[in-house]
Amino acid sequence: MKHHIDELAIFGGQPAFTQPLHVGRPNLGDRQRLMSRIDELLDRRWLTNDGPLVQEFERRLVEFTGAKHCIATCNGTVALELAARATEIAGAVNEAEVIVPAFTFVATAHALRWLGLRPVFCDIEPAGHTIDPERVEALITPRTRAIVGVHLWGRPCHIDRLQQIAERHGLALLFDAAHAFGCTFRGGTIGGFGKAEIFSFHATKFVNAFEGGAIATNDDVLAARLRLMRNFGFAGYDQVVSLGVNGKMSEVSAAMGLTSLESCHEFIAVNRRNHEQYRHELSGIAGLTMLAYDPGEQSNYQYVVAEVDAEAAGLSRDDLVEVLWAENVLARRYFFPGCHRMEPYVSASEPPHLPVTDRVAGSVLLLPTGTTIGPAEITEICAIIRTAVSGAERVQQKLRERR
Ligand SMILES: Cc1ncc(COP(=O)(O)O)c(C=O)c1O
């Protein structure tokens, strides 16, 4: 355990880990179960096009979320594009506006822009890092068609307040729930809110399908339209009745999705235990605050998010990332510098003034969690952080020399 500053790798000590510890390292579930599903799908030679595993995966998603319909897709980005098309947010008016938080994975904004919509970036609220409903109304113009809330870190955004705003102004409301599979809002499972909610089952998500996504909705008409659009608009053997794309999930992805889903509660229990351990072992470190989960709600605990106050810690978030990388702990900043400062948005117009987004994008530190990391490794990571902060001045000096 690295209790002394000279033991840190930046000062020449051995890295704490020989193998890198990643944020978002995939959980695998029961490998034999996965292999037997893959064997079966190969025997069937039904590899894609609404196969039995995709159908079963969709049934399981419906059971799990309580949403009336779940339409599996090839990834979360295409799920969002399909949802925006099928709800007619996109397509009717060119350059129509959609209000989104700037602090999210860039796919939220890109999916909309790809359809010719203009993302209008809204600031977030400091406590939970989700879109600040207080700031949404001021961004509404005659061109606004929708609001897309993002349940960041598995913490639902202010669904009820966004719903009120959307209703008051006649706007569609969608949720990017890529982080929030298995989470609840006021006891209701994520998947049943707004016109539709979209999930990602990307390899880095705690339930994964290699690549995959889904759209959850309670609207029968919308679900039927989404199924057509996901498959080029085919309504039958050679009957094309609408515009569509290839948004289908493959059978091998569904095999992984089903296997992953079967271990979902075990993954959540591990994430929760890891989260509690980090909370306990990082407590009292100057300038470091961990984002808490609401104990009254169910969560997947899939992200361990700390905020670094550089002044109080004596080290910036980026300093700590550098210290940790030298130890083979691949901690990460996330969504930096915010979508409003990324292309193509930053060149299209002067970035809006989003002080909370800018502060949070500069201070969040994500630490490794999931089934590939154990208690001893977490203790070591926390000790590295504690030791670095306690010797902040010397660490800073060393980092300056290295740069
Ligand atoms: C918040 C958010 N939205 C959208 C996506 C896009 O999902 P996918 O990678 O499955 O396309 C992701 C994840 O990757 C995400 O984190």
Side-chain angles (χ1 to χ4, degrees):
M1 194 88 58
K2 299 201 173 189
H3 288 308
H4 195 274
I5 186 168
D6 291 314
E7 293 168 317
L8 294 177
I10 57 162
F11 287 101
Q14 281 297 315
F17 301 100
T18 49
Q19 297 296 319
L21 300 181
H22 295 267
V23 172
R25 191 140 194 251
N27 298 319
L28 289 186
D30 183 337
R31 189 182 287 230
Q32 280 192 331
R33 192 74 192 97
L34 173 65
M35 290 310 177
S36 70
R37 282 193 166 108
I38 293 175
D39 266 338
E40 286 160 26
L41 80 88
L42 292 177
D43 288 345
R44 270 194 299 274
R45 289 185 190 253
W46 191 348
L47 306 188
T48 187
N49 287 2
D50 206 22
L53 293 176
V54 165
Q55 292 177 35
E56 188 185 343
F57 186 51
E58 290 183 339
R59 281 196 301 275
R60 297 269 172 272
L61 294 179
V62 163
E63 278 166 23
F64 196 91
T65 60
K68 202 164 170 199
H69 307 276
C70 286
I71 295 106
T73 59
C74 52
N75 60 51
T77 308
V78 167
L80 194 52
E81 288 172 13
L82 285 166
R85 274 265 179 211
T87 50
E88 293 175 348
I89 295 167
V93 185
N94 207 20
E95 290 274 317
E97 296 171 357
V98 180
I99 298 170
V100 289
F103 192 64
T104 177
F105 185 52
V106 73
T108 317
H110 275 4
L112 301 168
R113 190 69 198 127
W114 197 253
L115 298 175
L117 294 159
R118 195 166 88 76
V120 173
F121 294 115
C122 185
D123 213 352
I124 53 173
E125 45 84 35
H129 302 173
T130 56
I131 189 167
D132 185 348
E134 292 292 324
R135 298 182 188 279
V136 168
E137 255 171 324
L139 300 174
I140 295 174
T141 74
R143 302 185 71 83
T144 309
R145 306 226 3 133
I147 303 168
V148 176
V150 181
H151 306 313
L152 211 68
W153 317 135
R155 300 157 50 97
C157 57
H158 298 276
I159 293 175
D160 44 355
R161 289 169 66 194
L162 294 176
Q163 188 80 49
Q164 284 163 7
I165 297 169
E167 277 166 18
R168 201 156 49 235
H169 296 271
L171 304 176
L173 180 62
L174 296 178
F175 293 106
D176 177 341
H179 288 194
F181 187 70
C183 302
T184 61
F185 175 76
R186 308 243 164 96
T189 307
I190 295 296
F193 296 100
K195 268 191 178 295
E197 302 204 67
I198 72 102
F199 294 113
S200 166
F201 301 113
H202 181 256
T204 53
K205 302 294 184 281
F206 87 106
V207 168
N208 88 86
F210 301 128
E211 290 271 4
I215 308 150
T217 181
N218 290 324
D219 182 327
D220 299 342
V221 175
L222 184 60
R225 201 179 295 153
L226 283 163
R227 287 190 184 284
L228 286 174
M229 286 185 164
R230 175 184 66 171
N231 187 27
F232 312 101
F234 273 104
Y237 173 59
D238 55 5
Q239 196 193 359
V240 175
V241 297
S242 77
L243 184 63
V245 290
N246 184 353
K248 291 175 272 116
M249 175 178 271
S250 72
E251 284 291 273
V252 76
S253 278
M256 183 58 160
L258 282 164
T259 309
S260 192
L261 202 52
E262 280 161 4
S263 295
C264 173
H265 294 293
E266 179 199 323
F267 297 156
I268 292 174
V270 171
N271 286 345
R272 184 175 187 162
R273 193 188 64 210
N274 289 349
H275 196 271
E276 278 162 9
Q277 189 184 346
Y278 271 117
R279 243 179 120 62
H280 179 65
E281 297 190 17
L282 291 176
S283 71
I285 299 180
L288 210 86
T289 322
M290 266 188 73
L291 210 71
Y293 285 94
D294 181 344
E297 301 286 0
Q298 281 173 40
S299 182
N300 54 39
Y301 300 92
Q302 71 174 318
Y303 296 98
V304 173
V305 185
E307 278 188 78
V308 183
D309 175 341
E311 215 166 291
L315 293 174
S316 69
R317 183 271 317 275
D318 290 348
D319 292 338
L320 272 177
V321 167
E322 196 173 335
V323 168
L324 289 164
W325 276 55
E327 306 288 352
N328 249 334
V329 179
L330 306 189
R332 294 193 47 180
R333 56 192 194 185
Y334 249 56
F335 311 136
F336 180 83
C339 296
H340 61 313
R341 298 187 184 281
M342 293 177 185
E343 294 294 355
Y345 316 106
V346 70
S347 293
S349 59
E350 183 68 18
H353 180 59
L354 305 177
V356 184
T357 299
D358 288 340
R359 184 181 62 66
V360 171
S363 65
V364 291
L365 173 71
L366 271 86
L367 296 168
T369 186
T371 53
T372 60
I373 183 164
E377 288 156 322
I378 293 175
T379 295
E380 182 70 65
I381 294 169
C382 295
I384 292 165
I385 295 173
R386 192 175 289 279
T387 301
V389 171
S390 67
E393 229 170 276
R394 273 192 62 204
V395 169
Q396 274 241 337
Q397 197 185 332
K398 190 72 197 172
L399 292 176
R400 272 199 299 273
E401 285 166 24
R402 279 162 55 99
R403 282 170 188 158

